[in-house]
Amino acid sequence: MPAGNRSKVYVIKTDDRAKGVNLLLKYFSLDALSGKRVAIKANFNSADPFPASTHLDTLSAIIDALKDNAAGIVMPERSGMGITRVVLREMGVTDLAKKQGFDIVILDELKSGDWIKENPEGSHWARGFLFPRVFKEADAIVQTCCLKTHRFGGNFTMSLKNSVGMVAKYDPDDGYNYMGELHSSKYQRLMIAEINTAYKSAFVIMDGIKAFSNGGPEAGKLIEPGIMIGSVDRVAIDATGVAVLRSFGTTPEISGGSVFQLEQIKRAADLGIGARGYNDMEIIPVNKDAEDICSGIEKELRREVQAKT
């Protein structure tokens, strides 16, 4: 792939979330969001503190930046380990929405007409999945995700896995349990990738100031990479996150082989969601302190290229 077409992944070494978000967002075209309705997907799967959930400072900084451009901001959410409305209240999101003037949509409370059936070609979902109309009708979708492992079959939960919180748990017409299907399937990681065909990202911000290197999604071994990462490409940003976890020591499911052969990432790449390998990516340090980290990420991602030569 020509260098100019590579998916750029920006990495900043920082423990200041507002500074990190603002510096990363300089690399994305926020002017393109002017006058548009923007939907943001955060990670509030449970009422457990960061890195189990999106840090409120990260969400606040992103909302502040969007407010200068977007005509309106909505945050649809569905928690997997708790009642969504309660989780958002306990995590301070409800108060933040009132303070910063953005809307919250509780996906669990949507009716039949609020969903659109998605069934991508070659899907491993038995009957497709339901995707919210509120995301489909947004002019742009942005995402902020955490950096962590997932012990319930996803293996890791970053940008691609965060998209699971967009899908209906139950069909409001017949009660079909989509999450029951997902979590009981041997194709779970492929199905996670397939959800991502339903939308495109304006950009993704990953908060890796702290992370879980095993366990997850709500608790695990805490590590402190001290970084934030930004990209338009969900595959590239997840591959970068996996490389970071490997540098700290992580689970056997994540550690072995090429990053781009891990099922979530490979399936997403095969579906055209993002980069297909290291040669499709460019890792860019935003500040000098991130240079060594980026070198380590590149070294890990190059393993597959070196194995083929």
Side-chain angles (χ1 to χ4, degrees), residues 21-264:
V21 167
N22 289 325
L23 287 175
L24 287 171
L25 291 184
K26 288 182 178 181
Y27 294 94
F28 307 112
S29 181
L30 293 185
D31 289 345
L33 302 180
S34 179
K36 294 184 176 181
R37 179 78 168 169
V38 177
I40 182 167
K41 177 64 180 77
N43 184 338
F44 290 102
N45 184 58
S46 69
D48 296 284
F50 177 84
S53 303
T54 297
H55 197 288
L56 214 59
D57 291 348
T58 300
L59 178 61
S60 178
I62 294 172
I63 296 293
D64 275 342
L66 292 175
K67 282 171 60 178
D68 292 338
N69 296 276
I73 303 168
V74 59
M75 195 194 89
E77 186 59 274
R78 180 184 63 75
S79 303
M81 303 175 74
I83 299 169
T84 307
R85 188 172 290 278
V86 174
V87 168
L88 296 181
R89 184 177 67 245
E90 291 182 354
M91 297 302 292
V93 181
T94 305
D95 288 341
L96 185 70
K98 293 175 182 176
K99 177 182 176 182
Q100 293 188 292
F102 65 93
D103 297 326
I104 292 174
V105 173
I106 308 297
L107 296 180
D108 309 86
E109 299 173 3
L110 297 184
K111 307 302 182 185
S112 179
D114 298 323
W115 298 96
I116 296 171
K117 175 63 72 70
E118 295 282 338
N119 198 6
E121 186 176 354
S123 172
H124 293 79
W125 291 84
R127 48 188 265 182
F129 55 87
L130 294 181
F131 194 78
R133 194 175 294 277
V134 63
F135 278 116
K136 282 290 190 181
E137 294 180 350
D139 297 310
I141 298 172
V142 302
Q143 193 194 132
T144 181
C145 59
C146 302
L147 174 58
K148 54 185 178 175
T149 48
H150 189 276
R151 69 184 186 279
F152 298 123
N155 292 348
F156 58 88
T157 174
M158 301 177 200
S159 173
L160 296 168
K161 180 73 168 64
N162 194 31
S163 302
V164 173
M166 295 171 154
V167 173
K169 181 176 182 180
Y170 296 108
D171 190 314
D173 288 333
D174 63 10
Y176 184 80
N177 189 336
Y178 290 99
M179 293 300 101
E181 178 193 351
L182 175 67
H183 290 108
S184 64
S185 175
K186 65 180 180 179
Y187 301 115
Q188 179 181 159
R189 292 172 292 281
L190 307 182
M191 295 162 72
I192 289 167
E194 289 160 7
I195 293 169
N196 287 267
T197 61
Y199 74 101
K200 294 183 179 180
S201 297
F203 61 82
V204 181
I205 300 293
M206 180 185 290
D207 187 339
I209 292 177
K210 294 182 181 179
F212 293 144
S213 61
N214 64 30
E218 87 293 6
K221 182 180 178 181
L222 190 66
I223 57 174
E224 298 190 25
I227 58 174
M228 300 187 79
I229 309 171
S231 184
V232 172
D233 187 329
R234 282 164 278 165
V235 179
I237 201 168
D238 278 20
T240 302
V242 167
V244 172
L245 290 182
R246 287 184 173 191
S247 73
F248 279 83
T250 187
T251 64
E253 292 83 2
I254 299 175
S255 297
S258 164
V259 170
F260 279 87
Q261 291 302 309
L262 296 175
E263 286 183 306
Q264 268 195 64

Side-chain angles (χ1 to χ4, degrees), residues 291-303:
E291 290 177 357
D292 287 345
I293 295 167
C294 289
S295 294
I297 291 168
E298 290 178 331
K299 182 178 179 180
E300 180 60 47
L301 294 176
R302 277 199 302 267
R303 283 176 55 187

